[in-house]
Every structure is written in structure tokens, then in C-alpha cells.
Amino acid sequence: MSRLGNIGARLYRGEVGYDFVAKRKIWYGVSILITIVAIVGLAVRGLNMGIEFSGGAVFTTPKTTVSAAHAQEEAEKASGHDAIVQKLGNGGLRIQITDVGTEKSDQIREELAKDFKLSSQSINAELVGPSWGEQIANKAWLGLGIFMALVVVYLAIAFEWRMAVAALIALVHDLTITVGIYALVGFEVTPGTVIGLLTILGYSLYDTVVVFDGLKEASRGITKQTRWTYSEIANRSLNATLVRSINTTVVALLPVAGLLFIGGGFLGAGMLNDISLSLFVGLAAGAYSSIFIATPLVADLKERDPKMKALAKRVRAKRAAAAAKGGDALAEDEAHGAGEAAGVVGQRTQPASGDRGGRNRPSGGRR
């Protein structure tokens, strides 16, 4: 068995582990700090909404030697608006300009063809109205709301309401971080981004539900024992699935990283960037939240239950009694050890006197 497999087996059996739940205030602080940075980035920089949401025109050129910087300069000069230019894998350019109508689009295409020394027919122009983007945004919000509601209802039925609340907070945490990083990086928000955001919700829930399922089984009949508190059982369940969560996340991140850095970086595929960045950030944030946020939150909420408070009190009382008994036993062992030492000394002196008496008896016998 590999070294990682040995660690995983020892974590599962509870032989080793890290107390995530006991240090939950540290993780809460880190998450709050990251969330604040994401919200500030979102408020200051805002989201770079794609043309599908804001409306405008997209021009696609065939293979050309014109650089993206030069194309952006010419496109902004021709349109009077900001332009976004991407180099495509076939050597062509994708030029996106917002707030452009049909007549303006034809004029811009003619000027771009002249500047790039191409025929106007070789440049493909597509117009997108803002109303279509608004419909997509509304449907995305509707889908997100329905998804969240179904998640809460399912987890409340399958597990309990505290786990549903913790999972919902973890999902909001993941979405906020992902959207904030989009704002800080300046990536364009397109329908591909929306697809990626909706996709990561399922990935984010996966590890959380796995831990919750193990916790549900481990905490069955918890009030009938006095060995562990609920927080300790939650931490043991988390450690038991830790290696599995890490392996699943790494395996999922590798192909997404390939899409992001190879597909988007080298091939210049804009849609791959939109989807892969949201997936990459969302998967990482989901793995973090399932370990450091969701389970500690459940433990926090559960420990407020009067039954769990009473259990924690009994566990502490039993441990205090065991500690006191252990101290008394240690004192008895020390006293017993001292007595044995005294007996050994006595046994060593008695044979000496006996020997002397024995030597006298034979001498008396000879008399």
C-alpha cells in the first residue's frame, strides 16, 4: 500500500487526525477575510459583462498577422467604444464591441477590413441585443434560486436542517469567492461563465454530502455514550474522508487546469477560459468549504442543542473523574512501589542476621 493509502487508512480508523473542528474560528476568520476581498473587488471593479449580456457586435477575422493590441486600437478608433480582442487558435481575431447597432456594425467592418487589408466579406459580424442577455441573466438567477431551494429541502429531509443550513452557507461562500475572483481578474462574464457557476454547485456539494453522510452514521445513538462529544465525532468523520476529498478534488482540477492554461492560454479559446476559470476556482473553493466551513458549522449549530450540551457535560465529567482516578491510581502505585522497595531492603537485612544466627547454631552444635 502506498504512503498516502496508509495515511488514509489511519485517518479512517481514527489513529491519526487533525482537529479541524476545534480550530474552526481560524477557518471562519480566513473565509471572512477572503469573502471581504471578493466583495470589495466586485464592488470596486465590477464584473466585465460579455456582449451576450450588454449587447453589441462580435467581429471574427480569418488568419491575419495583425496583433491583438493593434486590432484593439483600430477597433476602438472605428467604433468609439471599448473593444475586447482575443487571438484565436487559427490565427484569426475575435473583436467584441459593446453598444453597436446594425448600421454602425457595417461601418466598423468596412474600416477593420481596410486597416487589416482584408475583404469585408471575410470578416464575420454578429449582432447581439441586450434583451437577449437580460433573458439569459434572468433564467440563470431563476435556475440558481431553484437549485438552492431544492438543495436545502433535500438535505433537510435526508439529513437535518442544520446540515442544510451549513451546506447553503458553504455554497454561497463558494459562489461569492468565484464571482469576486472573476471581478479581480477581469475575465469576461459570458453564458459559459454561468454554465460553469451552475456546474460547480454540484461539485461543491459532493464532498460536503459525503462527510455529512458519514457524520450521520457515526452520530447515530450518540446520546447513549459518554466517550465523544458531537464536535469530536464530526471531526473524526471529516478526517475519515479527508484523503478521499483531496484525491477527488485533485483529479477533478487537473483536466480543468488543462482547459484553463492550455486550452485558454495557448489555443486562445475564449469560451474555454470562461468555463474553466469558474470551474477551477469553484472546485478549489468547494473542497475548502466542505472541509473548513460546512462540517465545523454543523458542529457549531448542533452543539447548541440541549441534548448535545448535556452530552458534552457528561463527557467532560467522565473525563475529569477518569483523570482524578488516574491520579489516585498513580499515587497508589508510587506508595506500593515504595513499600516494595522497603520490603526488598528488609529481605536483604534479614538473611544477614539469619546467617549470623546460622553460623552460631553450627558452632553451638559442635559444642
Side-chain angles (χ1 to χ4, degrees), residues 9 63 78 97 105 119 150 153 161 163 171 222 225 243 274 313 322 357 359:
K63 184 177 181 180
I97 305 174
S105 172
S119 63
L150 290 177
V153 172
W161 68 267
M163 292 183 177
L171 282 178
I222 185 175
Q225 54 85 46
V243 173
D274 304 336
K313 186 176 180 179
R359 285 193 297 269

Side-chain angles (χ1 to χ4, degrees), residues 178 200 203-204 207 245-262 275-288:
T178 305
I200 65 173
Y203 281 106
S204 177
D207 285 336
S245 299
I246 293 174
N247 288 337
T248 303
T249 302
V250 171
V251 170
L253 281 176
L254 287 176
V256 174
L259 285 175
L260 178 62
F261 298 109
I262 299 177
I275 297 177
S276 57
L277 179 64
S278 59
L279 286 176
F280 189 85
V281 177
L283 284 172
Y288 171 83

Side-chain angles (χ1 to χ4, degrees), residues 42 45-56 58 82-84 94 96-99 130 133-134 136-138 140-141 179 182-183 186-191 193-194 197 274:
L42 185 62
R45 299 197 58 175
L47 289 174
N48 180 21
M49 304 302 293
I51 196 170
E52 294 85 358
F53 296 100
S54 58
V58 178
D82 291 337
I84 299 175
R94 183 179 184 270
Q96 177 179 307
I97 305 174
T98 58
D99 299 328
E134 185 178 354
I136 291 180
N138 291 336
W141 283 113
V179 173
Y182 250 87
F187 269 37
E188 186 180 12
V189 177
T190 66
T193 306
V194 177
L197 288 175
D274 304 336

